[in-house]
Amino acid sequence: MKKDQLFEFFRRLAENNPSPTTELQSNNTYQLLVAVVLSAQATDAGVNIATRPLFERVTSPQQMVALGEERLREAIKTIGLFNTKARNVIALSEAL
């Protein structure tokens, strides 16, 4: 897709749905990013159940890194592929 076609595509999306929403629950953009990563191969409802208590404790990348992969794994163990997802969330949090 060429650059002008890409911009037109997003313009049409924004015109059609100027305020898109999601079923994923979050309190800030960082938490939304984490929820989206966790939602791969999982339902939004399942992700919300796992992240509700997690997001009460973790609101930033620094807090996630401090939590650590092992405790994150324990918090999201009800979500499929939780081992890989925990490793990836920690990696993205370190990058941020």
Side-chain angles (χ1 to χ4, degrees):
M1 188 177 274
K2 294 180 182 177
K3 192 174 187 177
D4 60 329
Q5 292 172 316
L6 187 63
F7 281 111
E8 178 61 16
F9 172 75
F10 281 106
R11 186 196 67 73
R12 288 182 183 185
L13 285 177
E15 181 180 291
N16 192 35
N17 188 2
S19 300
T21 59
T22 178
E23 291 183 23
L24 293 170
Q25 298 169 352
S26 62
N27 299 309
N28 60 41
T29 54
Y30 170 70
Q31 289 180 341
L32 179 59
L33 173 62
V34 170
V36 168
V37 169
L38 296 178
S39 71
Q41 303 296 317
T43 66
D44 290 351
V47 171
N48 289 337
I49 290 168
T51 57
R52 193 169 295 119
L54 175 66
F55 288 168
E56 289 175 6
R57 298 182 299 163
V58 177
T59 61
S60 70
Q62 297 83 359
Q63 290 174 329
M64 187 67 77
V65 171
L67 180 70
E69 187 177 331
E70 182 63 36
R71 289 190 296 183
L72 176 56
R73 208 177 299 128
E74 183 64 28
I76 64 169
K77 66 184 176 189
T78 59
I79 301 173
L81 307 171
F82 67 93
N83 288 313
T84 302
K85 290 177 182 182
R87 184 171 49 251
N88 290 336
V89 167
I90 294 297
L92 81 84
S93 299
E94 289 171 339
L96 292 172

